[in-house]
PDB file of all heavy atoms in Angstrom:
ATOM      1  N   ARG A  47      72.925 108.572  78.157  1.00 98.00           N
ATOM      2  CA  ARG A  47      72.453 107.294  77.583  1.00 98.00           C
ATOM      3  C   ARG A  47      71.529 106.587  78.578  1.00 98.00           C
ATOM      4  O   ARG A  47      70.537 105.960  78.173  1.00 98.00           O
ATOM      5  CB  ARG A  47      73.650 106.405  77.232  1.00 98.00           C
ATOM      6  CG  ARG A  47      74.503 106.960  76.081  1.00 98.00           C
ATOM      7  CD  ARG A  47      75.695 106.056  75.815  1.00 98.00           C
ATOM      8  NE  ARG A  47      76.615 106.635  74.833  1.00 98.00           N
ATOM      9  CZ  ARG A  47      76.909 106.086  73.656  1.00 98.00           C
ATOM     10  NH1 ARG A  47      76.365 104.940  73.299  1.00 98.00           N
ATOM     11  NH2 ARG A  47      77.761 106.677  72.840  1.00 98.00           N
ATOM     12  N   ASP A  56      65.380 106.782  72.544  1.00 97.00           N
ATOM     13  CA  ASP A  56      66.747 106.563  72.081  1.00 97.00           C
ATOM     14  C   ASP A  56      67.054 107.624  71.028  1.00 97.00           C
ATOM     15  O   ASP A  56      66.144 108.170  70.404  1.00 97.00           O
ATOM     16  CB  ASP A  56      66.832 105.165  71.437  1.00 97.00           C
ATOM     17  CG  ASP A  56      68.264 104.669  71.344  1.00 97.00           C
ATOM     18  OD1 ASP A  56      69.193 105.406  71.740  1.00 97.00           O
ATOM     19  OD2 ASP A  56      68.458 103.540  70.842  1.00 97.00           O
ATOM     20  N   SER A  57      68.341 107.879  70.835  1.00 98.00           N
ATOM     21  CA  SER A  57      68.751 108.753  69.743  1.00 98.00           C
ATOM     22  C   SER A  57      68.165 108.222  68.431  1.00 98.00           C
ATOM     23  O   SER A  57      68.172 107.006  68.204  1.00 98.00           O
ATOM     24  CB  SER A  57      70.282 108.759  69.684  1.00 98.00           C
ATOM     25  OG  SER A  57      70.717 109.293  68.450  1.00 98.00           O
ATOM     26  N   LEU A  58      67.671 109.125  67.578  1.00 97.00           N
ATOM     27  CA  LEU A  58      67.146 108.681  66.279  1.00 97.00           C
ATOM     28  C   LEU A  58      68.253 108.011  65.470  1.00 97.00           C
ATOM     29  O   LEU A  58      68.034 107.008  64.792  1.00 97.00           O
ATOM     30  CB  LEU A  58      66.598 109.889  65.505  1.00 97.00           C
ATOM     31  CG  LEU A  58      65.957 109.545  64.184  1.00 97.00           C
ATOM     32  CD1 LEU A  58      64.613 108.851  64.403  1.00 97.00           C
ATOM     33  CD2 LEU A  58      65.758 110.795  63.333  1.00 97.00           C
ATOM     34  N   THR A  59      69.434 108.565  65.548  1.00 98.00           N
ATOM     35  CA  THR A  59      70.576 107.983  64.855  1.00 98.00           C
ATOM     36  C   THR A  59      71.184 106.892  65.740  1.00 98.00           C
ATOM     37  O   THR A  59      71.228 107.042  66.966  1.00 98.00           O
ATOM     38  CB  THR A  59      71.636 109.072  64.623  1.00 98.00           C
ATOM     39  OG1 THR A  59      71.807 109.783  65.856  1.00 98.00           O
ATOM     40  CG2 THR A  59      71.228 110.039  63.541  1.00 98.00           C
ATOM     41  N   PRO A  60      71.660 105.807  65.138  1.00 98.00           N
ATOM     42  CA  PRO A  60      72.210 104.709  65.951  1.00 98.00           C
ATOM     43  C   PRO A  60      73.636 105.026  66.400  1.00 98.00           C
ATOM     44  O   PRO A  60      74.571 104.889  65.626  1.00 98.00           O
ATOM     45  CB  PRO A  60      72.182 103.523  64.983  1.00 98.00           C
ATOM     46  CG  PRO A  60      72.246 104.141  63.618  1.00 98.00           C
ATOM     47  CD  PRO A  60      71.653 105.522  63.700  1.00 98.00           C
ATOM     48  N   ILE A  61      73.800 105.479  67.654  1.00 98.00           N
ATOM     49  CA  ILE A  61      75.135 105.867  68.117  1.00 98.00           C
ATOM     50  C   ILE A  61      75.891 104.659  68.672  1.00 98.00           C
ATOM     51  O   ILE A  61      75.317 103.778  69.302  1.00 98.00           O
ATOM     52  CB  ILE A  61      75.079 107.017  69.167  1.00 98.00           C
ATOM     53  CG1 ILE A  61      74.152 106.683  70.333  1.00 98.00           C
ATOM     54  CG2 ILE A  61      74.669 108.325  68.510  1.00 98.00           C
ATOM     55  CD1 ILE A  61      74.194 107.719  71.466  1.00 98.00           C
ATOM     56  N   SER A  62      77.197 104.642  68.417  1.00 98.00           N
ATOM     57  CA  SER A  62      78.046 103.548  68.902  1.00 98.00           C
ATOM     58  C   SER A  62      78.486 103.827  70.332  1.00 98.00           C
ATOM     59  O   SER A  62      78.385 104.947  70.818  1.00 98.00           O
ATOM     60  CB  SER A  62      79.299 103.436  68.034  1.00 98.00           C
ATOM     61  OG  SER A  62      78.944 103.237  66.696  1.00 98.00           O
ATOM     62  N   SER A  63      79.031 102.791  70.990  1.00 98.00           N
ATOM     63  CA  SER A  63      79.560 102.954  72.353  1.00 98.00           C
ATOM     64  C   SER A  63      80.771 103.890  72.291  1.00 98.00           C
ATOM     65  O   SER A  63      81.407 104.034  71.235  1.00 98.00           O
ATOM     66  CB  SER A  63      79.998 101.598  72.897  1.00 98.00           C
ATOM     67  OG  SER A  63      81.137 101.160  72.182  1.00 98.00           O
ATOM     68  N   THR A  66      83.831 102.110  70.848  1.00 98.00           N
ATOM     69  CA  THR A  66      83.779 101.935  69.392  1.00 98.00           C
ATOM     70  C   THR A  66      84.023 103.273  68.692  1.00 98.00           C
ATOM     71  O   THR A  66      84.721 103.336  67.670  1.00 98.00           O
ATOM     72  CB  THR A  66      82.402 101.367  68.977  1.00 98.00           C
ATOM     73  OG1 THR A  66      82.218 100.140  69.674  1.00 98.00           O
ATOM     74  CG2 THR A  66      82.304 101.127  67.483  1.00 98.00           C
ATOM     75  N   ARG A  67      83.455 104.333  69.241  1.00 98.00           N
ATOM     76  CA  ARG A  67      83.630 105.663  68.641  1.00 98.00           C
ATOM     77  C   ARG A  67      85.114 106.037  68.562  1.00 98.00           C
ATOM     78  O   ARG A  67      85.589 106.467  67.505  1.00 98.00           O
ATOM     79  CB  ARG A  67      82.898 106.715  69.487  1.00 98.00           C
ATOM     80  CG  ARG A  67      81.404 106.748  69.259  1.00 98.00           C
ATOM     81  CD  ARG A  67      80.740 107.782  70.164  1.00 98.00           C
ATOM     82  NE  ARG A  67      79.520 108.293  69.550  1.00 98.00           N
ATOM     83  CZ  ARG A  67      78.783 109.287  70.036  1.00 98.00           C
ATOM     84  NH1 ARG A  67      79.124 109.889  71.159  1.00 98.00           N
ATOM     85  NH2 ARG A  67      77.698 109.685  69.409  1.00 98.00           N
ATOM     86  N   THR A 229      73.025 117.713  63.111  1.00 95.00           N
ATOM     87  CA  THR A 229      73.479 116.488  63.775  1.00 95.00           C
ATOM     88  C   THR A 229      74.900 116.162  63.326  1.00 95.00           C
ATOM     89  O   THR A 229      75.793 116.117  64.135  1.00 95.00           O
ATOM     90  CB  THR A 229      72.479 115.314  63.579  1.00 95.00           C
ATOM     91  OG1 THR A 229      73.006 114.174  64.234  1.00 95.00           O
ATOM     92  CG2 THR A 229      72.216 114.972  62.120  1.00 95.00           C
ATOM     93  N   ASN A 230      75.096 115.979  62.031  1.00 94.00           N
ATOM     94  CA  ASN A 230      76.442 115.593  61.605  1.00 94.00           C
ATOM     95  C   ASN A 230      77.350 116.783  61.345  1.00 94.00           C
ATOM     96  O   ASN A 230      76.894 117.911  61.156  1.00 94.00           O
ATOM     97  CB  ASN A 230      76.365 114.710  60.361  1.00 94.00           C
ATOM     98  CG  ASN A 230      76.192 113.263  60.758  1.00 94.00           C
ATOM     99  OD1 ASN A 230      76.727 112.846  61.791  1.00 94.00           O
ATOM    100  ND2 ASN A 230      75.447 112.511  59.972  1.00 94.00           N
ATOM    101  N   ASP A 237      82.572 108.088  59.089  1.00 98.00           N
ATOM    102  CA  ASP A 237      82.364 106.657  59.332  1.00 98.00           C
ATOM    103  C   ASP A 237      81.034 106.528  60.084  1.00 98.00           C
ATOM    104  O   ASP A 237      80.753 107.336  60.972  1.00 98.00           O
ATOM    105  CB  ASP A 237      83.517 106.127  60.212  1.00 98.00           C
ATOM    106  CG  ASP A 237      83.503 104.619  60.376  1.00 98.00           C
ATOM    107  OD1 ASP A 237      82.509 104.085  60.940  1.00 98.00           O
ATOM    108  OD2 ASP A 237      84.472 103.971  59.962  1.00 98.00           O
ATOM    109  N   GLU A 238      80.247 105.544  59.740  1.00 97.00           N
ATOM    110  CA  GLU A 238      78.927 105.350  60.384  1.00 97.00           C
ATOM    111  C   GLU A 238      79.068 105.241  61.904  1.00 97.00           C
ATOM    112  O   GLU A 238      78.192 105.677  62.667  1.00 97.00           O
ATOM    113  CB  GLU A 238      78.290 104.067  59.808  1.00 97.00           C
ATOM    114  CG  GLU A 238      76.920 103.729  60.360  1.00 97.00           C
ATOM    115  CD  GLU A 238      75.793 104.080  59.391  1.00 97.00           C
ATOM    116  OE1 GLU A 238      76.008 103.899  58.188  1.00 97.00           O
ATOM    117  OE2 GLU A 238      74.729 104.522  59.863  1.00 97.00           O
ATOM    118  N   ARG A 239      80.187 104.691  62.364  1.00 98.00           N
ATOM    119  CA  ARG A 239      80.385 104.514  63.812  1.00 98.00           C
ATOM    120  C   ARG A 239      80.646 105.847  64.519  1.00 98.00           C
ATOM    121  O   ARG A 239      80.657 105.907  65.742  1.00 98.00           O
ATOM    122  CB  ARG A 239      81.559 103.555  64.073  1.00 98.00           C
ATOM    123  CG  ARG A 239      81.308 102.128  63.637  1.00 98.00           C
ATOM    124  CD  ARG A 239      82.593 101.319  63.647  1.00 98.00           C
ATOM    125  NE  ARG A 239      83.543 101.796  62.634  1.00 98.00           N
ATOM    126  CZ  ARG A 239      84.814 101.411  62.537  1.00 98.00           C
ATOM    127  NH1 ARG A 239      85.309 100.556  63.408  1.00 98.00           N
ATOM    128  NH2 ARG A 239      85.596 101.903  61.591  1.00 98.00           N
ATOM    129  N   LEU A 240      80.883 106.912  63.749  1.00 98.00           N
ATOM    130  CA  LEU A 240      81.149 108.228  64.360  1.00 98.00           C
ATOM    131  C   LEU A 240      79.886 109.088  64.433  1.00 98.00           C
ATOM    132  O   LEU A 240      79.932 110.228  64.889  1.00 98.00           O
ATOM    133  CB  LEU A 240      82.212 108.977  63.548  1.00 98.00           C
ATOM    134  CG  LEU A 240      83.575 108.313  63.445  1.00 98.00           C
ATOM    135  CD1 LEU A 240      84.479 109.098  62.484  1.00 98.00           C
ATOM    136  CD2 LEU A 240      84.230 108.219  64.820  1.00 98.00           C
ATOM    137  N   ILE A 241      78.757 108.543  64.004  1.00 98.00           N
ATOM    138  CA  ILE A 241      77.532 109.353  63.875  1.00 98.00           C
ATOM    139  C   ILE A 241      77.175 110.029  65.211  1.00 98.00           C
ATOM    140  O   ILE A 241      77.369 109.451  66.279  1.00 98.00           O
ATOM    141  CB  ILE A 241      76.363 108.470  63.359  1.00 98.00           C
ATOM    142  CG1 ILE A 241      75.263 109.325  62.735  1.00 98.00           C
ATOM    143  CG2 ILE A 241      75.776 107.589  64.463  1.00 98.00           C
ATOM    144  CD1 ILE A 241      74.298 108.510  61.887  1.00 98.00           C
ATOM    145  N   ASN A 242      76.654 111.238  65.116  1.00 98.00           N
ATOM    146  CA  ASN A 242      76.274 111.987  66.312  1.00 98.00           C
ATOM    147  C   ASN A 242      74.854 111.615  66.746  1.00 98.00           C
ATOM    148  O   ASN A 242      74.061 111.135  65.944  1.00 98.00           O
ATOM    149  CB  ASN A 242      76.344 113.490  66.043  1.00 98.00           C
ATOM    150  CG  ASN A 242      76.350 114.321  67.327  1.00 98.00           C
ATOM    151  OD1 ASN A 242      76.641 113.799  68.421  1.00 98.00           O
ATOM    152  ND2 ASN A 242      76.036 115.598  67.215  1.00 98.00           N
ATOM    153  N   ARG A 243      74.539 111.898  68.025  1.00 98.00           N
ATOM    154  CA  ARG A 243      73.197 111.599  68.496  1.00 98.00           C
ATOM    155  C   ARG A 243      72.194 112.626  67.949  1.00 98.00           C
ATOM    156  O   ARG A 243      72.566 113.744  67.569  1.00 98.00           O
ATOM    157  CB  ARG A 243      73.131 111.504  70.020  1.00 98.00           C
ATOM    158  CG  ARG A 243      73.385 112.785  70.772  1.00 98.00           C
ATOM    159  CD  ARG A 243      73.219 112.558  72.291  1.00 98.00           C
ATOM    160  NE  ARG A 243      71.922 112.045  72.594  1.00 98.00           N
ATOM    161  CZ  ARG A 243      71.672 110.909  73.266  1.00 98.00           C
ATOM    162  NH1 ARG A 243      72.650 110.175  73.744  1.00 98.00           N
ATOM    163  NH2 ARG A 243      70.442 110.520  73.477  1.00 98.00           N
ATOM    164  N   PHE A 244      70.935 112.224  67.890  1.00 97.00           N
ATOM    165  CA  PHE A 244      69.851 113.111  67.421  1.00 97.00           C
ATOM    166  C   PHE A 244      68.645 112.863  68.317  1.00 97.00           C
ATOM    167  O   PHE A 244      68.017 111.811  68.256  1.00 97.00           O
ATOM    168  CB  PHE A 244      69.504 112.805  65.959  1.00 97.00           C
ATOM    169  CG  PHE A 244      68.517 113.782  65.358  1.00 97.00           C
ATOM    170  CD1 PHE A 244      68.945 114.760  64.466  1.00 97.00           C
ATOM    171  CD2 PHE A 244      67.160 113.729  65.685  1.00 97.00           C
ATOM    172  CE1 PHE A 244      68.036 115.658  63.911  1.00 97.00           C
ATOM    173  CE2 PHE A 244      66.251 114.630  65.141  1.00 97.00           C
ATOM    174  CZ  PHE A 244      66.688 115.595  64.242  1.00 97.00           C
ATOM    175  N   ILE A 375      69.089 112.877  56.957  1.00 94.00           N
ATOM    176  CA  ILE A 375      69.400 112.007  58.105  1.00 94.00           C
ATOM    177  C   ILE A 375      68.114 111.506  58.769  1.00 94.00           C
ATOM    178  O   ILE A 375      67.966 110.311  59.044  1.00 94.00           O
ATOM    179  CB  ILE A 375      70.249 112.783  59.157  1.00 94.00           C
ATOM    180  CG1 ILE A 375      71.659 113.035  58.639  1.00 94.00           C
ATOM    181  CG2 ILE A 375      70.284 112.053  60.493  1.00 94.00           C
ATOM    182  CD1 ILE A 375      72.580 111.865  58.791  1.00 94.00           C
ATOM    183  N   LYS A 378      66.394 109.003  56.638  1.00 96.00           N
ATOM    184  CA  LYS A 378      67.110 107.717  56.617  1.00 96.00           C
ATOM    185  C   LYS A 378      66.774 106.872  57.856  1.00 96.00           C
ATOM    186  O   LYS A 378      66.639 105.660  57.772  1.00 96.00           O
ATOM    187  CB  LYS A 378      68.611 107.988  56.548  1.00 96.00           C
ATOM    188  CG  LYS A 378      69.468 106.735  56.585  1.00 96.00           C
ATOM    189  CD  LYS A 378      70.910 107.031  56.227  1.00 96.00           C
ATOM    190  CE  LYS A 378      71.746 105.755  56.299  1.00 96.00           C
ATOM    191  NZ  LYS A 378      73.175 106.030  56.251  1.00 96.00           N
ATOM    192  N   TYR A 379      66.655 107.535  59.013  1.00 97.00           N
ATOM    193  CA  TYR A 379      66.488 106.768  60.263  1.00 97.00           C
ATOM    194  C   TYR A 379      65.079 106.831  60.835  1.00 97.00           C
ATOM    195  O   TYR A 379      64.866 106.468  61.984  1.00 97.00           O
ATOM    196  CB  TYR A 379      67.506 107.261  61.305  1.00 97.00           C
ATOM    197  CG  TYR A 379      68.933 106.942  60.900  1.00 97.00           C
ATOM    198  CD1 TYR A 379      69.804 107.949  60.504  1.00 97.00           C
ATOM    199  CD2 TYR A 379      69.388 105.619  60.890  1.00 97.00           C
ATOM    200  CE1 TYR A 379      71.100 107.652  60.103  1.00 97.00           C
ATOM    201  CE2 TYR A 379      70.674 105.315  60.500  1.00 97.00           C
ATOM    202  CZ  TYR A 379      71.538 106.339  60.099  1.00 97.00           C
ATOM    203  OH  TYR A 379      72.808 106.034  59.706  1.00 97.00           O
ATOM    204  N   LYS A 380      64.102 107.292  60.051  1.00 93.00           N
ATOM    205  CA  LYS A 380      62.794 107.538  60.664  1.00 93.00           C
ATOM    206  C   LYS A 380      62.115 106.261  61.167  1.00 93.00           C
ATOM    207  O   LYS A 380      61.258 106.325  62.039  1.00 93.00           O
ATOM    208  CB  LYS A 380      61.884 108.356  59.748  1.00 93.00           C
ATOM    209  CG  LYS A 380      61.345 107.649  58.557  1.00 93.00           C
ATOM    210  CD  LYS A 380      60.417 108.592  57.799  1.00 93.00           C
ATOM    211  CE  LYS A 380      59.785 107.817  56.666  1.00 93.00           C
ATOM    212  NZ  LYS A 380      58.984 108.648  55.799  1.00 93.00           N
ATOM    213  N   ARG A 382      63.350 104.329  63.116  1.00 97.00           N
ATOM    214  CA  ARG A 382      63.752 104.197  64.523  1.00 97.00           C
ATOM    215  C   ARG A 382      62.938 105.120  65.441  1.00 97.00           C
ATOM    216  O   ARG A 382      63.078 105.063  66.662  1.00 97.00           O
ATOM    217  CB  ARG A 382      65.240 104.555  64.673  1.00 97.00           C
ATOM    218  CG  ARG A 382      66.179 103.501  64.080  1.00 97.00           C
ATOM    219  CD  ARG A 382      67.622 103.993  64.086  1.00 97.00           C
ATOM    220  NE  ARG A 382      68.071 104.486  65.378  1.00 97.00           N
ATOM    221  CZ  ARG A 382      68.617 103.737  66.341  1.00 97.00           C
ATOM    222  NH1 ARG A 382      68.815 102.446  66.153  1.00 97.00           N
ATOM    223  NH2 ARG A 382      68.982 104.276  67.488  1.00 97.00           N
TER     224      ARG A 382
END
Side-chain angles (χ1 to χ4, degrees):
R47 293 178 187 242
D56 199 358
S57 165
L58 183 72
T59 47
I61 54 173
S62 303
S63 69
T66 302
R67 282 178 152 186
T229 179
N230 273 326
D237 188 298
E238 180 103 37
R239 293 168 294 170
L240 299 174
I241 201 164
N242 196 18
R243 66 177 303 124
F244 187 105
I375 289 279
K378 177 168 179 192
Y379 293 109
K380 72 178 185 186
R382 289 172 51 88

